[in-house]
Amino acid sequence: MEVFNALTQMTPAAEPAIYVTLRLRMVDSQIRARGIEDERVLSAMSRVPRHEFTAGRYRDQAYEDYPLPIGEGQTISQPYIVALMLEALALTPSDRVLEIGTGSGYVTALLAELAAEIVSLERYAVLADEARGLLADLGHSNVKVIVGDGTFGFPPGAPYDAIIVSAAGPEVPRPLLAQLAEGGRMIIPVGSCDSQQLQLIRMRNGQPHTQWRELCRFVPLVAGGAIGS
């Protein structure tokens, strides 16, 4: 009850209290109960209003344990998978993070709660514009959303302490590896449209070391499109 009251006080007055209840239930039953232990991740997911990042017709499903459409053939990822990827990155408050696939901006908002600076690339300008506006409305000033090809990353901001990729390809793009700092971590789904698995990559002594993690299902990582603002 104390946690509920604290979160209610932190929540904008315009947000119905039911969303706070559903968000806490999501964290307890879908995330903490399934083994996620990083308290910073759990706290961020208890604060960030996932329903704000879902299309109107899907808003009432925002705290369910499955992905939802957001337009342009893209989705907002399943909450548990998001938590799993964030925990794997072991983010610190001083980290600089590159996100590939802004989408609705939900993961971007979580990253903004967990790290110092976020550069987020989105292929679709309409999604980037919507996410940029929503993130600003929610007060996330440490985020830069850029329209561009995620397979190339964003070299002007490199190196990054962490890279998170929310789309799957047959292999890890080499430009992303080149932009990972020494000691940095990258989480990325790798595989075909039908079979994917998360890879956690750590850069040690200039070499990537890969750990295969959970099976997953993401939209394809598509190359194409120039970097823009």
Side-chain angles (χ1 to χ4, degrees):
M1 183 60 70
E2 291 180 1
V3 174
F4 176 83
N5 289 336
L7 285 170
T8 302
Q9 292 170 5
M10 294 165 54
T11 303
E15 181 184 13
I18 184 60
Y19 286 129
V20 179
T21 302
L22 292 173
R23 193 156 60 243
L24 292 176
R25 185 179 301 162
M26 175 192 77
V27 171
D28 284 340
S29 64
Q30 300 173 28
I31 299 172
R32 190 190 299 273
R34 294 173 71 180
I36 301 300
E37 299 179 344
D38 189 322
E39 289 297 333
R40 296 187 69 236
V41 171
L42 294 169
S43 179
M45 296 190 76
S46 295
R47 293 192 303 271
V48 174
R50 191 172 187 262
H51 62 278
E52 295 287 359
F53 297 90
T54 58
R57 60 182 292 196
Y58 296 106
R59 179 164 288 202
D60 288 345
Q61 303 174 56
Y63 298 104
E64 300 298 331
D65 194 30
Y66 45 74
L68 293 167
I70 58 171
E72 307 298 325
Q74 306 301 295
T75 61
I76 180 172
S77 297
Q78 175 190 6
Y80 171 69
I81 290 295
V82 171
L84 191 72
M85 294 174 76
L86 292 176
E87 182 174 63
L89 287 177
L91 296 171
T92 72
S94 62
D95 280 343
R96 298 182 65 255
V97 182
L98 175 64
E99 178 188 26
I100 305 301
T102 313
S104 68
Y106 174 62
V107 175
T108 321
L110 292 169
L111 292 169
E113 296 273 340
L114 296 168
E117 182 181 348
I118 316 302
V119 176
S120 184
L121 289 177
E122 174 52 54
R123 181 170 181 263
Y124 297 97
V126 63
L127 294 181
D129 288 343
E130 291 173 357
R132 193 181 290 121
L134 181 52
L135 290 163
D137 288 345
L138 292 174
H140 297 300
S141 59
N142 59 338
V143 173
K144 183 174 184 179
V145 177
I146 299 169
V147 178
D149 185 343
T151 61
F152 291 119
F154 190 65
Y160 301 97
D161 301 299
I163 299 176
I164 182 168
V165 184
S166 297
E171 60 185 11
V172 179
R174 290 186 178 275
L176 298 186
L177 288 173
Q179 293 169 45
L180 195 59
E182 177 65 26
R185 297 82 62 204
M186 183 191 323
I187 188 82
I188 177 172
V190 177
S192 66
C193 291
D194 299 322
S195 177
Q196 302 164 15
Q197 191 169 1
L198 291 174
Q199 284 190 22
L200 176 60
I201 300 167
R202 295 182 176 89
M203 190 63 67
R204 297 172 180 162
N205 299 318
Q207 296 296 319
H209 295 260
T210 302
Q211 176 187 3
W212 289 91
R213 298 288 301 261
E214 290 77 6
L215 297 174
C216 58
R217 186 75 176 268
F218 281 82
V219 296
L221 178 61
V222 180
I227 295 293
S229 59

